[in-house]
Amino acid sequence: MLALDLGEPVDELSRSLWAANERLAFESLHDSFVRSTADGSLSRESYSHYQQQDWQYLQVYADAYEAACAQASGDSESLAVLEGLYKGVREEQRLQLASLKRQGLEVSDTSTQTAATRAYTDFLTSVTAEGLIPLLTAMAPCIRLYGFLGARLKAAYPHAKHDFSEWVSTYSSPAYLAEPIKHERLLARLHQGPPTARMQTLYTRAMQLEAQFFQAQPHQAPAPRPVGLLISDFDDTMVKGETTVAIFEAALAHASEDGPGMTKQQRRAKWDELVASYIQERAALLQMLLPEEPLLQPFKMQDGGFNCEKTHCKPTYQATAGVGGRVNLAWRLKSGSMQTRWSAKGPTVHRWCPLEHWSDLGALLEADIGIVMGGNSTLARVAAAAGITIQPLITAPRTEAPPPGTLFQTGSWWEVAAFAAPAKRPPPGASAPAQANSTRNEVPTSTSGLESRGAARAQGEAQPASGVAQAGAHPQVPTVLTVAGSDSGGGAGIQADLKTFQARGVFGTSAIAALTAQNTRGVAGVHVPPADFLTAQMDAVLEDMDVHAVKTGMLPTVQAVHAVADAVQRHKVTALVVDPVLVASSGHSLADSDVAHVIVDRLLPLATVVTPNLAEAAALLGDSSPIQSLRGMEAAARRLHQLGARCLLVKGGHLASRGDAHEAVDVLFDGSTMQHLSAPRVDSRNTHGTGCTLAAAIAAELAKGLPAAEAVRAAKEYLSAALRSSADLQIGKGAHGPLNHGYATNRWGGGPSKRIDLRVYGVTDAASNAKLGRSNADAVSAAARGGMTIVQLREKLANGGNFLEEARAVIAAARPHGVPVIINDRVDVAMAAGADGVHVGQDDLPVALVRQLMGPHTILGVSCKTVEQARRAEADGADYLGVGAVFATPTKDSRVIGYEGLQAVCQATALPVVAIGGLNAQNAADAIHAGAQGIAVVRDIFANSDAASATQQLRAVVDQAIAKLS
């Protein structure tokens, strides 16, 4: 018999997260790739492909544990657990690599990742910067799911010996099953109480990506045969609504017809008589079935009251035994509402009917697939006496009839759903989608979804599997349609949307509502095509492709708005992002005066997300006065929601009255929760098309499966990174230049790594500055005036919030002098403050991971002592190296490498090197002669009351040494 709790969480926090995603766990368990791995029918090619993809995922998973170790460095207890888990993943990776080498295979590099693998690794990498608890939450489903799969499959195939049985043995071993418990208990210790909404979102997303990872493996199982299922729910009680109770109530109603004058006491006596008769017959039957066992305890029937309404059914109950050495138990109920034929043949399940107890075994054996839900001791003994085999449901054959006398057992209705309607796999040669559409995030909380799903299939409706839209034999690619105006300058409109779609990993299509003659200086003219041609464009796309989201931008006429609304309704578009573009950033009107109220009437009720700026929000509401405060933004969001929009993002980038000049704040309202979404302001002229880009990115994330609020956050992060990366672009002669939408792959001149000047690298010393009665920002400003070329903000004792404020102040002091600001160690602070870069040591986050998090344009420095460390940092994406300590220093306990060590590293790498440790005006020239491009200085600048003069002297020495070399 199956142990129903195998491989599931033990602590309350993780049980809560797991329970909300049990459907996805069973979906993975019943994936044909997983089943075929467990029973040995998988092809070697498919398994090898899986191993290669899994090895790449494990690499990122191990990096995530390493990042968690860095974040828990001050907590020795947590650190010990994390280090043990990290070693476990590395051992798992070693075993995987050894298996591949035995097959003569090499591990593929990341360029050969499937979309599903990349989606999962990108997700995990992106969560690293959120902190330890979110990171552990996002990692938990992987380690738990593999334990769940291993334990369930080992119980189902305990004696299997084949090429892949080692996989099951590994993940069902006591050593492995202890790992998820360690992880989950650590998470529960760090987070007291129920899971937050963010934790639930991360956990569910990871479970979705796990299921998609298995679906993406190249395995095509034989088509399952049509079957009908009969499911019997076993326990040791009878409650109202179950079959036997229904029979009793029907009999009681029938008796009431014979004696309409029955009192409540008489009905109670009749009920007791029926119960007593049932218990007596049940005991006699069990005595016949199990003559060697003592009489069982009386059966308990719970009486929660009963219904005496008249019915038109006349029940008879029959129980016989010993036919052909098998239990042959059945009951018959003549009724129009309850079927006597339990399974109807069809493509999948047509209906299921819950029975209750061991007397249903005969009917179960007659079904195509008989499923026992739960179990009790009586069932086990009766089944054994009758020669009935009960096996885990995962072993139920899908292409042939089960062996005679075999039933299957589960403890979850979600497993029944996974068995009855397994997720469809992509065709051979195609990859599963990197992310699913929005229905993938809907996690049912009851079994009602199973009933409606079965009913829909019974009527022949096409149902998406696992929330992924199906398109026959075609692989799923998230697809978005933009309906907007064309910008001949390429910065906004259709052009910006399509660039954003490509950057966010979705396929972009377009319907052009207007053609504009514009550039960075402004709009010179607008041409509007006929509305029927706009309709023809939309229909051409929507009738041919599976479009997962539509985004609207410039709709210049009332006719265009009506055309879009009609198309959205006609094609049943489920995700619509409305960017109500009414005025260009140059001030040129882009829509007729009456367009705004038609957008309100026709598009807002259809919209998933609406993204007005302050002026557009006022126009939609018909207000003549502008919005001038956060409170006004909130009020506008509420009023627009009342007009029909589901989710409002009121953009506050142009809000002039905000006291915090460092932050741009948007307001997000979904009808129940009002959120303020802030991001550091980016000082840049290149802001043309930011509204189009944001709305397009939201549509892309909706198409990939994120719920609205998460899609908005992801889109804002993308836009902020694009703004930072585009700050130095010089395209066009006007006031508003375009963005580099593809900043992650295309570095267009002037990027930070192209202008790193390491000559005088100042490292702040908060304690020294405090003794001198000045702030870090004041000292940095003075040093910058004296010729400091780059500064690192080092704050070992400040917490996150204080460090962030300090970083912003130092950035504000340094930027007017053109001095880049580097944050020591803290990637999160660097990203939040909009710093120019980050510097990490050998014990901090992995360099490759930091590069992924920070993007290609930020400066990334790495501390090194050896040639090997330098070469690894260079390969992982470092922009410069801090090499030393050259001399002993009071600010840091570090092994001294001297000039020889410095020179060895400088000669071994092409990266620029700044010498660190004990450098000053007296020895700076020797460091330059050894190959360094500059010196890092702490006390000689920031412990000097005249930081400007001290820096000026250092700069002169360094410049003179460099001049001699040249």
Side-chain angles (χ1 to χ4, degrees):
M1 302 294 286
L2 178 65
L4 298 177
D5 60 348
L6 279 174
E8 297 183 0
V10 295
D11 69 273
E12 185 174 350
L13 173 64
S14 294
R15 282 203 305 268
S16 174
L17 291 166
W18 179 265
N21 294 279
E22 188 180 18
R23 171 180 65 94
L24 294 165
F26 282 110
E27 183 177 299
S28 293
L29 179 65
H30 281 266
D31 181 85
S32 63
F33 170 83
V34 174
R35 286 171 58 104
S36 297
T37 303
D39 65 21
S41 63
L42 190 70
S43 71
R44 169 56 65 181
E45 292 76 13
S46 293
Y47 188 69
S48 297
H49 178 274
Y50 157 78
Q51 286 183 297
Q52 290 177 313
Q53 295 297 312
D54 191 47
W55 190 92
Q56 294 181 54
Y57 172 74
L58 288 173
Q59 182 70 33
V60 176
Y61 198 75
D63 290 345
Y65 266 134
E66 194 170 350
C69 288
Q71 296 181 28
S73 58
D75 181 352
S76 58
E77 183 178 350
S78 297
L79 188 59
V81 175
L82 290 168
E83 288 176 343
L85 292 167
Y86 170 80
K87 291 177 182 177
V89 177
R90 286 302 188 199
E91 175 62 17
E92 186 180 351
Q93 198 174 16
R94 185 192 66 78
L95 293 173
Q96 200 80 286
L97 185 60
S99 175
L100 286 166
K101 287 183 176 180
R102 286 196 299 270
Q103 302 169 54
L105 299 173
E106 296 294 330
V107 176
S108 303
D109 60 30
T110 56
S111 64
T112 61
Q113 285 184 350
T114 64
T117 304
R118 186 173 297 279
Y120 205 168
T121 56
D122 287 352
F123 163 75
L124 202 57
T125 299
S126 69
V127 179
T128 303
E130 292 193 31
L132 185 56
I133 290 176
L135 178 57
L136 293 179
T137 303
M139 296 175 71
C142 173
I143 193 170
R144 167 52 63 195
L145 181 63
Y146 270 77
F148 171 81
L149 297 177
R152 294 279 176 144
L153 294 172
K154 186 65 175 178
Y157 304 98
H159 308 299
K161 296 292 182 184
H162 50 72
D163 288 347
F164 317 122
S165 55
E166 183 182 3
W167 187 87
V168 176
S169 298
T170 296
Y171 293 116
S172 63
S173 67
Y176 181 85
L177 292 176
E179 298 295 279
I181 294 175
K182 294 175 187 176
H183 184 112
E184 291 162 348
R185 284 177 174 168
L186 173 59
L187 181 59
R189 184 174 70 81
L190 296 173
H191 177 82
Q192 303 291 326
T196 65
R198 181 59 178 161
M199 292 174 72
Q200 292 169 338
T201 297
L202 291 171
Y203 199 97
T204 297
R205 187 66 191 136
M207 288 289 284
Q208 292 168 350
L209 291 167
E210 280 287 355
Q212 292 171 21
F213 178 78
F214 288 123
Q215 293 165 19
Q217 303 312 311
H219 167 68
Q220 202 67 20
R225 69 189 182 101
V227 296
L229 305 183
L230 178 59
I231 306 163
S232 181
D233 191 359
F234 283 80
D235 54 29
D236 286 315
T237 62
M238 286 288 184
V239 296
K240 182 176 175 62
E242 293 186 348
T243 307
T244 302
V245 178
I247 293 173
F248 289 175
E249 291 182 340
L252 188 61
H254 183 69
S256 298
E257 290 178 353
D258 295 337
M262 290 179 68
T263 64
K264 182 175 181 180
Q265 289 75 16
Q266 289 173 325
R267 288 197 300 272
R268 175 77 244 187
K270 188 66 175 178
W271 175 268
D272 291 341
E273 178 185 341
L274 289 169
V275 171
S277 173
Y278 171 80
I279 293 174
Q280 181 179 357
E281 291 187 20
R282 179 179 181 275
L285 177 60
L286 285 174
Q287 194 66 42
M288 183 193 313
L289 293 170
L290 307 170
E292 303 301 323
E293 295 192 18
L295 187 64
L296 300 171
Q297 293 297 318
F299 192 86
K300 297 179 180 179
M301 178 171 288
Q302 296 179 350
D303 176 23
F306 53 91
N307 184 1
C308 293
E309 293 180 2
K310 292 186 177 182
T311 65
H312 300 286
C313 53
K314 188 172 184 179
T316 60
Y317 185 87
Q318 297 179 348
T320 60
V323 178
R326 243 188 232 173
V327 177
N328 183 14
L329 303 170
W331 61 269
R332 300 184 181 89
L333 181 62
K334 298 177 181 179
S335 167
S337 60
M338 302 187 73
Q339 303 291 323
T340 57
R341 181 174 180 80
W342 294 102
S343 61
K345 301 298 173 67
T348 54
V349 185
H350 276 201
R351 63 173 65 85
W352 58 269
C353 182
L355 311 179
E356 287 78 49
H357 52 79
W358 48 267
S359 60
D360 299 325
L361 291 175
L364 288 170
L365 289 169
E366 292 179 0
D368 292 335
I369 298 290
I371 299 177
V372 173
M373 178 66 66
N376 56 44
S377 57
T378 306
L379 170 66
R381 291 194 294 273
V382 170
I388 298 173
T389 300
I390 301 181
Q391 297 181 350
L393 180 56
I394 186 62
T395 65
R398 305 193 64 84
T399 59
E400 59 188 18
T406 303
L407 300 178
F408 301 94
Q409 186 181 39
T410 181
S412 171
W413 287 105
W414 288 125
E415 182 169 18
V416 175
F419 174 79
K424 292 184 179 179
R425 304 181 61 79
S431 172
Q435 297 180 348
N437 64 22
S438 58
T439 60
R440 202 67 161 86
N441 292 281
E442 299 169 6
V443 182
T445 56
S446 71
T447 59
S448 59
L450 171 63
E451 300 174 50
S452 60
R453 189 177 192 176
R457 290 188 179 278
Q459 297 168 15
E461 297 177 8
Q463 294 293 308
S466 308
V468 181
Q470 300 299 314
H474 299 290
Q476 287 295 300
V477 177
T479 301
V480 184
L481 168 64
T482 173
V483 185
S486 170
D487 175 2
S488 57
I494 290 286
Q495 286 80 359
D497 293 347
L498 293 176
K499 294 172 189 177
T500 302
F501 295 157
Q502 184 71 21
R504 301 310 296 164
V506 301
F507 183 75
T509 63
S510 64
I512 299 177
L515 296 99
T516 69
Q518 66 174 302
N519 52 30
T520 60
R521 293 172 172 172
V523 179
V526 177
H527 173 73
V528 179
D532 58 353
F533 185 69
L534 175 61
T535 296
Q537 294 178 75
M538 292 185 289
D539 287 344
V541 174
L542 293 168
E543 290 173 358
D544 178 55
M545 302 178 187
D546 291 318
V547 174
H548 301 87
V550 172
K551 177 260 178 186
T552 68
M554 175 187 177
L555 301 176
T557 64
V558 169
Q559 291 78 12
V561 177
H562 284 301
V564 171
D566 291 343
V568 167
Q569 292 177 310
R570 184 168 61 254
H571 294 283
K572 297 180 172 59
V573 172
T574 58
L576 174 65
V577 178
V578 174
D579 181 22
V581 177
L582 301 173
V583 179
S585 55
S586 61
H588 191 285
S589 176
L590 297 177
D592 294 344
S593 58
D594 50 355
V595 163
H597 80 264
V598 181
I599 289 177
V600 171
D601 291 342
R602 294 297 315 273
L603 288 183
L604 258 62
L606 304 175
T608 307
V609 181
V610 183
T611 64
N613 60 28
L614 301 182
E616 291 161 351
L620 293 175
L621 292 169
D623 292 345
S624 57
S625 57
I627 298 170
Q628 298 180 338
S629 65
L630 268 178
R631 182 170 295 181
M633 293 169 63
E634 292 176 351
R638 287 192 177 92
R639 291 171 62 192
L640 287 170
H641 182 269
Q642 292 172 353
L643 295 175
R646 278 174 274 173
C647 188
L648 271 301
L649 179 69
V650 180
K651 299 175 292 188
H654 298 113
L655 193 61
S657 62
R658 283 279 295 168
D660 186 356
H662 299 296
E663 294 282 344
V665 181
D666 300 337
V667 167
L668 180 66
F669 183 60
D670 63 1
S672 60
T673 304
M674 186 75 69
Q675 301 179 56
H676 292 175
L677 305 182
S678 62
R681 287 185 182 272
V682 179
D683 185 13
S684 173
R685 65 176 280 275
N686 298 316
T687 58
H688 182 47
T690 50
C692 304
T693 299
L694 178 62
I698 294 171
E701 300 305 326
L702 290 174
K704 293 188 292 186
L706 288 184
E710 295 300 317
V712 169
R713 291 190 184 91
K716 281 181 62 65
E717 290 172 3
Y718 165 72
L719 178 59
S720 294
L723 282 165
R724 290 195 299 269
S725 300
S726 306
D728 295 329
L729 289 183
Q730 291 295 328
I731 298 177
K733 301 174 183 177
H736 302 285
L739 298 172
N740 176 9
H741 294 86
Y743 65 87
T745 55
N746 299 306
R747 304 177 67 167
W748 289 340
S753 62
K754 303 290 186 181
R755 53 181 177 83
I756 303 174
D757 186 348
L758 299 175
R759 285 177 293 171
V760 180
Y761 187 117
V763 180
T764 61
D765 183 355
S768 295
N769 285 323
K771 289 179 182 179
L772 293 170
R774 65 190 182 196
S775 66
N776 275 335
D778 292 336
V780 165
S781 180
R785 292 195 301 272
M788 181 175 64
T789 58
I790 188 169
V791 63
Q792 180 189 123
L793 177 61
R794 184 167 65 184
E795 286 284 351
K796 293 295 186 181
L797 301 179
N799 61 33
N802 292 336
F803 198 169
L804 178 60
E805 292 304 314
E806 187 72 12
R808 288 171 172 166
V810 168
I811 290 169
R815 288 232 168 117
H817 304 280
V819 175
V821 177
I822 308 298
I823 305 298
N824 182 56
D825 295 348
R826 294 291 297 271
V827 176
D828 54 342
V829 173
M831 295 175 69
D836 298 283
V838 68
H839 187 97
V840 296
Q842 293 297 314
D843 297 328
D844 297 323
L845 290 178
V847 177
L849 179 59
V850 176
R851 174 53 74 201
Q852 286 181 313
L853 292 171
M854 297 296 293
H857 288 294
T858 51
I859 301 172
L860 174 54
V862 181
S863 296
C864 299
K865 291 181 180 295
T866 68
V867 169
E868 291 76 14
Q869 291 175 350
R871 287 173 174 167
R872 185 168 63 248
E874 184 175 5
D876 287 344
D879 292 309
Y880 74 89
L881 303 177
V883 179
V886 179
F887 299 105
T889 171
T891 60
K892 192 169 185 179
D893 182 16
S894 182
R895 179 171 62 85
V896 172
I897 65 171
Y899 287 128
E900 292 182 358
L902 173 63
Q903 187 174 29
V905 173
C906 290
Q907 292 175 349
T909 178
L911 293 179
V913 169
V914 59
I916 60 177
L919 280 304
N920 52 43
Q922 286 68 47
N923 55 28
D926 292 332
I928 300 299
H929 293 156
Q933 279 74 45
I935 60 171
V937 182
V938 183
R939 297 179 59 81
D940 273 30
I941 293 178
F942 295 109
N944 195 308
S945 60
D946 189 351
S949 296
T951 307
Q952 189 174 17
Q953 293 174 15
L954 287 166
R955 173 73 176 267
V957 171
V958 172
D959 286 348
Q960 184 177 7
I962 292 174
K964 286 183 178 181
L965 289 177
S966 61

Short mmCIF file of all heavy atoms in Angstrom, two decimals, residues 161 167 254 327 358 372 378-379 397 427 548 696 800 871 924 931:
data_model
loop_
_atom_site.label_atom_id
_atom_site.label_comp_id
_atom_site.label_asym_id
_atom_site.label_seq_id
_atom_site.Cartn_x
_atom_site.Cartn_y
_atom_site.Cartn_z
N LYS A 161 15.05 -2.42 -11.81
CA LYS A 161 16.46 -2.41 -12.17
C LYS A 161 16.57 -2.15 -13.67
O LYS A 161 16.25 -3.01 -14.48
CB LYS A 161 17.12 -3.75 -11.81
CG LYS A 161 17.16 -4.06 -10.32
CD LYS A 161 18.09 -3.10 -9.58
CE LYS A 161 18.15 -3.44 -8.10
NZ LYS A 161 18.99 -2.46 -7.35
N TRP A 167 18.49 7.03 -10.91
CA TRP A 167 17.86 8.33 -10.72
C TRP A 167 16.83 8.28 -9.60
O TRP A 167 16.80 9.12 -8.71
CB TRP A 167 17.21 8.76 -12.04
CG TRP A 167 16.67 10.16 -12.07
CD1 TRP A 167 17.33 11.29 -12.39
CD2 TRP A 167 15.32 10.56 -11.76
NE1 TRP A 167 16.49 12.39 -12.31
CE2 TRP A 167 15.25 11.97 -11.93
CE3 TRP A 167 14.17 9.88 -11.36
CZ2 TRP A 167 14.09 12.70 -11.72
CZ3 TRP A 167 13.00 10.61 -11.15
CH2 TRP A 167 12.97 11.99 -11.33
N HIS A 254 -39.01 6.87 1.10
CA HIS A 254 -39.98 5.90 0.58
C HIS A 254 -40.91 5.43 1.70
O HIS A 254 -42.12 5.29 1.50
CB HIS A 254 -39.24 4.72 -0.03
CG HIS A 254 -40.15 3.70 -0.65
ND1 HIS A 254 -40.87 3.96 -1.80
CD2 HIS A 254 -40.46 2.42 -0.28
CE1 HIS A 254 -41.59 2.89 -2.11
NE2 HIS A 254 -41.35 1.94 -1.20
N VAL A 327 -14.10 -10.86 -4.40
CA VAL A 327 -15.27 -10.15 -3.87
C VAL A 327 -16.10 -9.64 -5.04
O VAL A 327 -15.58 -9.08 -5.98
CB VAL A 327 -14.81 -8.96 -2.99
CG1 VAL A 327 -16.01 -8.17 -2.50
CG2 VAL A 327 -14.00 -9.46 -1.82
N TRP A 358 -15.32 -0.51 1.15
CA TRP A 358 -14.85 -1.74 0.54
C TRP A 358 -15.91 -2.51 -0.21
O TRP A 358 -15.60 -3.34 -1.06
CB TRP A 358 -14.22 -2.64 1.62
CG TRP A 358 -15.09 -2.78 2.84
CD1 TRP A 358 -15.04 -2.03 3.96
CD2 TRP A 358 -16.15 -3.72 3.02
NE1 TRP A 358 -16.00 -2.41 4.86
CE2 TRP A 358 -16.69 -3.48 4.30
CE3 TRP A 358 -16.69 -4.74 2.25
CZ2 TRP A 358 -17.74 -4.21 4.82
CZ3 TRP A 358 -17.73 -5.48 2.77
CH2 TRP A 358 -18.25 -5.22 4.04
N VAL A 372 -8.82 3.79 -5.87
CA VAL A 372 -9.14 3.85 -4.45
C VAL A 372 -8.60 5.16 -3.90
O VAL A 372 -7.41 5.44 -4.01
CB VAL A 372 -8.50 2.66 -3.71
CG1 VAL A 372 -8.68 2.81 -2.21
CG2 VAL A 372 -9.08 1.35 -4.19
N THR A 378 -9.65 -2.05 7.04
CA THR A 378 -10.60 -3.03 6.53
C THR A 378 -10.39 -3.27 5.04
O THR A 378 -10.41 -4.42 4.57
CB THR A 378 -12.04 -2.54 6.77
OG1 THR A 378 -12.20 -2.22 8.15
CG2 THR A 378 -13.05 -3.59 6.36
N LEU A 379 -10.20 -2.20 4.30
CA LEU A 379 -9.97 -2.31 2.87
C LEU A 379 -8.78 -3.22 2.59
O LEU A 379 -8.83 -4.08 1.71
CB LEU A 379 -9.74 -0.93 2.27
CG LEU A 379 -9.24 -0.91 0.81
CD1 LEU A 379 -10.30 -1.45 -0.12
CD2 LEU A 379 -8.81 0.49 0.40
N PRO A 397 -1.37 1.68 -16.10
CA PRO A 397 -0.98 1.75 -17.52
C PRO A 397 -1.88 2.70 -18.28
O PRO A 397 -3.08 2.78 -18.04
CB PRO A 397 -1.14 0.31 -17.99
CG PRO A 397 -2.15 -0.28 -17.07
CD PRO A 397 -1.93 0.36 -15.74
N PRO A 427 5.66 18.78 -29.51
CA PRO A 427 5.97 17.72 -30.47
C PRO A 427 7.46 17.48 -30.54
O PRO A 427 8.25 18.28 -30.05
CB PRO A 427 5.44 18.28 -31.79
CG PRO A 427 5.49 19.76 -31.60
CD PRO A 427 5.18 20.00 -30.16
N HIS A 548 -1.11 35.99 -27.07
CA HIS A 548 -1.33 35.89 -25.63
C HIS A 548 -1.62 37.22 -24.97
O HIS A 548 -2.07 37.25 -23.82
CB HIS A 548 -0.11 35.24 -24.98
CG HIS A 548 0.20 33.88 -25.51
ND1 HIS A 548 0.98 33.66 -26.62
CD2 HIS A 548 -0.20 32.66 -25.09
CE1 HIS A 548 1.07 32.36 -26.84
NE2 HIS A 548 0.35 31.73 -25.94
N ALA A 696 4.67 48.03 -23.31
CA ALA A 696 5.01 46.85 -24.12
C ALA A 696 5.65 45.77 -23.26
O ALA A 696 5.38 44.58 -23.44
CB ALA A 696 5.96 47.26 -25.25
N GLY A 800 20.94 47.91 5.33
CA GLY A 800 20.56 48.16 3.95
C GLY A 800 19.98 49.53 3.70
O GLY A 800 20.37 50.21 2.75
N ARG A 871 42.26 35.30 -13.89
CA ARG A 871 41.77 34.74 -15.14
C ARG A 871 40.31 34.32 -15.02
O ARG A 871 39.52 34.49 -15.96
CB ARG A 871 42.64 33.56 -15.54
CG ARG A 871 44.02 33.99 -16.06
CD ARG A 871 44.93 32.81 -16.30
NE ARG A 871 46.19 33.23 -16.91
CZ ARG A 871 47.27 32.47 -17.00
NH1 ARG A 871 47.25 31.22 -16.51
NH2 ARG A 871 48.37 32.91 -17.56
N ALA A 924 53.48 54.76 -4.87
CA ALA A 924 52.54 54.67 -5.98
C ALA A 924 53.25 54.41 -7.30
O ALA A 924 52.79 53.61 -8.13
CB ALA A 924 51.70 55.93 -6.07
N GLY A 931 52.82 47.41 -13.35
CA GLY A 931 51.78 47.11 -14.32
C GLY A 931 50.40 47.60 -13.97
O GLY A 931 49.46 47.46 -14.77
#
